[in-house]
């Protein structure tokens, strides 16, 4: 049992590392993940490497292809828009429930995450802002007090991480995002469930100008994948 737990711990750490490399663009869509290379690079056996790849495949971040091994998933624009549409509705539901169910302690954590976003924005640091932004959204997922909804929101959030991260590089997006966060916080603290849902939906959905920005982000990833 101890051996099995050790393998699971290593595979989890490796999964988190590869997930982060995909999110930051270090591993671009189309990149190949070779088992032997991962074993040598990280000094582990094949078992945790295979387990990590299976987990990443289940999250939709990579594809396991016969005779080609693992490849970082490439999501087309149409599919990506569909995923953002679903994400916006999941987050709207989280916001609606959080406005009704969050405890005082959870509201305080949401405010702290919002303040951390403000500091990152003031520092003009998109990477720091992304991490604080993720903390902000996860606080809303937890605050929904719906375990299944929380799991689904976190899962889709992970799949969209590379693209949500790239969007923050668009000019003035951090300022816009922070202003939207502010409206979300005010709605949640006021217990206004519908306002919280509507502001979160508008914050996440990709349409209009954001669609063009997303296409530009995909074009930025494309050269590395070729």
């Amino acid at each position: 049992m101890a051996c099995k737990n050790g393998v699971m711990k290593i595979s989890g750490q490796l999964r988190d590392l590869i997930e982060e490399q995909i999110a930051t663009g270090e591993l671009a869509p189309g990149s190949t993940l070779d088992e032997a290379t991962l074993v040598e690079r990280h000094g582990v056996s094949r078992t945790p490497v295979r387990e990590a790849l299976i987990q990443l495949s289940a999250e939709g971040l990579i594809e396991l292809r016969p005779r080609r091994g693992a490849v970082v998933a490439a999501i087309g624009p149409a599919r990506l828009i569909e995923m953002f549409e679903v994400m916006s509705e999941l987050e709207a539901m989280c916001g609606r429930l959080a406005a009704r169910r969050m405890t005082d302690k959870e509201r305080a954590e949401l405010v702290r995450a919002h303040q951390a976003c403000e500091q990152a924005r003031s520092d003009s640091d998109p990477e720091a802002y992304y991490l604080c932004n993720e903390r902000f959204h996860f606080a809303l997922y937890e605050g929904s007090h719906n375990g299944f909804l929380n799991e689904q929101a976190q899962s889709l959030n992970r799949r969209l991480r590379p693209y949500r991260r790239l969007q923050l590089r668009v000019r003035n997006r951090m300022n816009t995002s922070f202003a939207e966060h502010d409206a979300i916080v005010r709605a949640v603290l006021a217990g206004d469930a519908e306002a919280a849902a509507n502001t979160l939906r508008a914050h996440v959905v990709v349409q209009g100008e954001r669609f063009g920005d997303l296409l530009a982000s995909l074009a930025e990833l494309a050269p590395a994948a070729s």
Side-chain angles (χ1 to χ4, degrees), residues 44-219:
V44 297
S45 68
R46 283 185 177 268
T47 300
V49 167
R50 287 172 181 166
E51 180 61 33
L53 294 178
I54 289 171
Q55 292 174 24
L56 290 164
S57 176
E59 292 175 6
L61 291 173
I62 67 171
E63 298 174 7
L64 298 177
R65 301 177 179 177
R67 296 181 297 280
R68 288 191 58 192
V71 178
V72 177
I75 305 172
R79 181 68 167 178
L80 204 51
I81 295 303
E82 291 175 348
M83 291 169 69
F84 269 106
E85 284 180 347
V86 174
M87 187 82 256
S88 69
E89 292 301 327
L90 289 177
E91 297 230 9
M93 191 180 298
C94 286
R96 180 182 294 109
L97 295 177
R100 290 162 36 193
R101 298 176 177 178
M102 262 186 161
T103 64
D104 289 342
K105 183 178 179 180
E106 289 169 336
R107 290 192 185 96
E109 167 56 21
L110 182 66
V111 170
R112 283 193 295 270
H114 185 45
Q115 292 169 340
C117 285
E118 182 174 25
Q119 183 61 56
R121 179 196 63 153
S122 298
D123 294 339
S124 299
D125 187 341
E127 288 303 307
Y129 187 91
Y130 173 78
L131 295 175
C132 297
N133 174 70
E134 191 168 62
R135 174 184 169 189
F136 178 87
H137 284 271
F138 278 34
L140 290 165
Y141 303 166
E142 292 285 346
S144 73
H145 289 263
N146 183 312
F148 181 75
L149 176 60
N150 185 359
E151 290 169 7
Q152 297 305 305
Q154 288 198 38
S155 177
L156 187 50
N157 184 295
R158 282 194 296 272
R159 291 190 68 182
L160 290 171
R161 282 183 77 195
Y163 309 97
R164 295 182 80 160
R165 198 168 199 146
L166 279 173
Q167 282 188 307
L168 291 173
R169 299 180 189 174
V170 174
R171 185 180 178 184
N172 206 41
R173 179 55 195 160
M174 276 194 294
N175 289 329
T176 304
S177 173
F178 180 78
E180 292 166 354
H181 280 193
D182 199 58
I184 293 164
V185 170
R186 284 188 280 107
V188 170
L189 295 184
D192 190 335
E194 288 312 305
N198 291 335
T199 50
L200 263 164
R201 182 183 296 108
H203 175 61
V204 177
V205 75
V206 173
Q207 57 189 10
E209 290 183 359
R210 289 191 192 175
F211 179 71
D213 293 340
L214 183 58
L215 290 182
S217 297
L218 291 175

